[in-house]
Amino acid sequence: MSTTRTRFAPSPTGYLHIGGVRTALFCWLFARKHGGQFILRIDDTDQQRNVQEALEPILHGLRWLGIDWDEGPDVGGPHGPYYQSLRWKWYEEAAERLLASGHAYRDYARTEEVQAEREAAQREKRPFVASRRFIAETDADARRFEADGRKAVVRLKMPREGNLVVNDLIRGPVDFEWAQEQDHVIRRADGSCLYHLASTVDDHAMQITHVIRAEEHLSNTPRQVFIAQALGYELPQYAHLPFVAEPGSKTKLSKRKLAKYLKNREFAQLLEHGRRIADRIGVPADPEAFNPVIVGFYEKVGYLPEALLNYLALLGWSLDERTEHFGRDQLIEHFSLERVNRAPAGFDPAKLSAFQQWHFNQLGTEQKATLALPFLQRAGLVPAPAGGDAERLVERVMAAAGDRLRVAGDIVAFDEFFVPDDQLLYDPKAVDKRLRKEGAADLLRKYRERLATLETFDPETLEHDMHAFLEAEGIQVGQIIHAVRVAVTGKQAGLGMFDALALLGRDRALRRIDRALVLT
């Protein structure tokens, strides 16, 4: 039995899309499940659309997710090169073989002539079929056409009758009528070869056993099967995945429709959450790159790759009706194409956030702090490298924050614990509402005097002492607690008040209260 070999072949024309990485994940899981190899091949045949700068984010995104490749860029392998732009000679040889066997022909029709035939077919409501009026069947034909200023493309000479049945591993038997297929161009007039030829040749050369890809490629299958059979190749097995749909829709998710998706409340909240973190750490909020449809968005704001992998695996696949949380090894153990659904899988921002929260909560405080520390350093709140005291403070804040932290980047929302006391910023509205309220300053001064005498400064002692203060002054907690919070954190909301005081310690808390009293 041959070794299972799958491939992911992205085009370097943009950032790594959620749908694309879901395809890569399923290819990777299938290969790992069956003890095979996962190959990364770069489909850069379209030189006008390729963006070299976009390749590195694709490679980085896969590495961040832990989707490693056995052969491909930066790894090498026995079937390279793994960039299609470096494999032209194999495509040219295949095109010549197809011409020689009569499975392809040189077509000298001009673009406008082909377009006129296409428009006529539309008017007559019939499938467009090339007329083949400008086939160069002999060298004399070619010279005559070229003397007229015509240039040839190479087209497949597709069958005009009969059917092709492809046994798709997800969709079952899929029937294609050959008469519905066009004579597709496989080589342009400038000599460059197109995707259908290149992909088929490379899948054979790289010994791909299973072509697992998005359903949008299902319509490409007949022409690729035709090429493979004409060249005498053994066919791989095909599996076409359901596309990832927009939130609340059955339309394919697109990285170019950000404005539309922001009408979805949960999607808008996901982006706004990320932007708050990005603004604090100085990440440009470029909609091309900083977009929840792009994988890099999640790394930038502190999502766990394990959480994103878990969520992506369930976009179109499930083990059963109950199990939702999977680690990497569990996904490999249980994954199968038989459990992949044919229907579109809707992108649900709230569900993704829930997976992130669950996976984040599985970590210990020290692990969370290790993930959060780089965000504090990028925000200029903790030096790099951080000292022991700074690292311990990060751990203490993480522990106190608990479920308030959904992603590692959320730590920057608690900047009040990391800025020097004399640089703490006070929310003007909070100052007016809480500190300048009648009687608030006097109560705050009295409470400061109590704090200065406390020898133990932990949450339990602080809470007990607050109750004693309330009883002594004959007041309700709301008359003092809000003023204390604003005085020591600059904000109206945040961690529990006694946790916040304990984190700051007595000396820092007293200095901040003194600063706040000046504002009253």
Side-chain angles (χ1 to χ4, degrees):
M1 182 175 179
S2 62
T3 301
T4 297
R5 289 172 63 85
T6 66
R7 51 80 165 170
F8 179 56
S11 297
T13 57
Y15 295 93
L16 190 58
H17 181 280
I18 285 290
V21 79
R22 195 280 308 264
T23 298
L25 173 62
F26 282 21
C27 291
W28 182 82
L29 288 173
F30 188 82
R32 294 290 177 261
K33 170 68 178 290
H34 295 282
Q37 289 92 45
F38 171 66
I39 291 83
L40 180 63
R41 186 175 74 224
I42 306 304
D43 177 5
D44 55 352
T45 54
D46 190 344
Q47 295 296 303
Q48 292 183 340
R49 293 182 62 238
N50 290 330
V51 180
Q52 187 59 35
E53 298 77 28
L55 176 58
E56 184 51 38
I58 292 173
L59 301 181
H60 178 81
L62 292 173
R63 292 190 189 102
W64 175 67
L65 288 167
I67 300 177
D68 57 332
W69 49 98
D70 301 289
E71 299 174 27
D74 300 338
V75 173
H79 304 287
Y82 294 91
Y83 292 84
Q84 290 188 329
S85 59
L86 302 178
R87 300 179 61 83
W88 291 120
K89 66 177 182 179
W90 285 281
Y91 312 145
E92 291 169 358
E93 290 172 359
E96 291 300 322
R97 285 178 58 192
L98 291 170
L99 286 167
S101 65
H103 291 93
Y105 62 91
R106 290 180 174 86
D107 184 11
Y108 282 88
R110 293 190 171 99
T111 301
E112 58 270 24
E113 292 166 338
V114 175
Q115 183 60 27
E117 292 180 0
R118 193 183 304 276
E119 291 172 356
Q122 290 176 342
R123 286 193 302 272
E124 297 167 13
K125 297 182 180 180
R126 58 176 172 80
F128 165 68
V129 178
S131 66
R132 301 178 180 172
R133 289 187 298 143
F134 296 95
I135 290 180
E137 295 182 332
T138 65
D139 290 341
D141 289 337
R143 288 192 296 270
R144 177 166 53 83
F145 288 136
E146 289 167 6
D148 194 27
R150 295 175 178 271
K151 295 182 178 180
V153 300
V154 175
R155 290 184 182 274
L156 295 175
K157 196 170 186 179
M158 302 295 288
R160 292 287 170 87
E161 58 184 23
N163 291 55
L164 168 70
V165 177
V166 174
N167 186 29
D168 190 280
L169 295 177
I170 294 172
R171 299 166 189 279
V174 183
D175 196 320
F176 299 93
E177 293 183 42
W178 285 121
Q180 301 293 321
E181 288 293 315
Q182 303 177 29
D183 288 355
H184 304 282
V185 176
I186 57 171
R187 189 168 71 189
R188 301 181 183 91
D190 64 5
S192 60
C193 294
L194 276 75
Y195 162 78
H196 303 298
L197 178 64
S199 182
T200 306
V201 170
D202 286 344
D203 284 345
H204 172 72
M206 296 178 184
Q207 300 177 7
I208 303 302
T209 60
H210 295 78
V211 174
I212 303 170
R213 57 189 180 183
E215 69 174 281
E216 64 201 62
H217 292 287
L218 183 61
S219 62
N220 298 333
T221 308
R223 68 203 71 164
Q224 292 171 356
V225 168
F226 177 81
I227 292 170
Q229 291 178 332
L231 292 171
Y233 297 165
E234 182 179 350
L235 293 178
Q237 292 184 273
Y238 293 95
H240 290 88
L241 307 172
F243 62 75
V244 178
E246 299 172 349
S249 169
K250 293 185 178 180
T251 304
K252 183 182 175 183
L253 186 70
S254 170
K255 60 189 175 185
R256 297 178 180 85
K257 295 182 179 180
L258 181 60
K260 175 183 176 182
Y261 301 154
L262 290 178
K263 296 176 183 177
N264 176 282
R265 181 175 59 85
E266 293 171 343
F267 189 96
Q269 289 174 343
L270 177 64
L271 179 59
E272 180 57 31
H273 177 215
R275 279 179 173 165
R276 287 196 298 269
I277 297 171
D279 289 345
R280 194 66 182 82
I281 65 176
V283 172
D286 174 9
E288 277 291 316
F290 199 76
N291 180 339
V293 178
I294 302 299
V295 169
F297 169 88
Y298 299 96
E299 181 185 10
K300 288 185 176 80
V301 302
Y303 273 69
L304 294 171
E306 293 82 2
L308 190 56
L309 280 181
N310 190 166
Y311 176 70
L312 290 174
L314 296 178
L315 284 179
W317 173 85
S318 65
L319 175 62
D320 52 41
E321 299 298 324
R322 304 176 306 279
T323 313
E324 283 194 324
H325 298 117
F326 295 90
R328 195 180 306 266
D329 291 341
Q330 291 172 304
L331 286 174
I332 292 172
E333 177 186 355
H334 295 296
F335 183 78
S336 70
L337 292 175
E338 289 79 8
R339 299 290 300 177
V340 175
N341 200 319
R342 299 182 190 180
F347 177 69
D348 184 343
K351 190 74 171 176
L352 172 55
S353 295
F355 274 99
Q356 165 62 23
Q357 184 81 75
W358 187 88
H359 280 273
F360 201 61
N361 287 344
Q362 305 311 301
L363 302 179
T365 300
E366 187 175 345
Q367 292 173 292
K368 291 181 182 179
T370 299
L371 294 170
L373 185 59
F375 289 88
L376 291 167
Q377 291 171 332
R378 289 183 212 129
L381 296 169
V382 171
D389 290 344
E391 292 180 9
R392 282 190 289 275
L393 178 58
V394 176
E395 290 184 20
R396 292 177 62 207
V397 172
M398 298 292 288
D403 289 347
R404 293 180 180 88
L405 296 174
R406 290 181 287 161
V407 301
D410 281 339
I411 190 67
V412 298
F414 299 94
D415 55 347
E416 63 266 29
F417 298 105
F418 302 99
V419 297
D421 301 326
D422 60 356
Q423 294 178 24
L424 177 68
L425 297 178
Y426 288 89
D427 178 358
K429 292 181 179 179
V431 170
D432 287 339
K433 183 176 181 180
R434 301 302 185 186
L435 294 182
R436 292 174 181 158
K437 183 179 179 180
E438 184 177 355
D442 290 337
L443 286 173
L444 187 58
R445 287 188 183 92
K446 291 180 180 180
Y447 184 63
R448 183 212 182 280
E449 293 174 3
R450 291 186 70 97
L451 288 181
T453 65
L454 285 181
E455 294 184 4
T456 303
F457 219 76
D458 58 40
E460 295 77 14
T461 301
L462 288 162
E463 185 174 9
H464 178 78
D465 186 69
M466 172 62 78
H467 288 301
F469 177 75
L470 297 176
E471 185 175 347
E473 295 296 324
I475 61 173
Q476 299 296 314
V477 68
Q479 293 175 256
I480 181 62
I481 197 74
H482 302 300
V484 176
R485 179 185 296 282
V486 174
V488 299
T489 69
K491 303 173 181 178
Q492 294 195 69
L495 298 185
M497 189 63 259
F498 305 115
D499 286 325
L501 285 168
L503 284 168
L504 290 167
R506 182 176 55 209
D507 293 343
R508 296 189 69 193
L510 294 177
R511 284 196 294 270
R512 291 183 176 202
I513 292 174
D514 289 340
R515 278 194 69 207
L517 286 170
V518 174
L519 300 176
T520 63

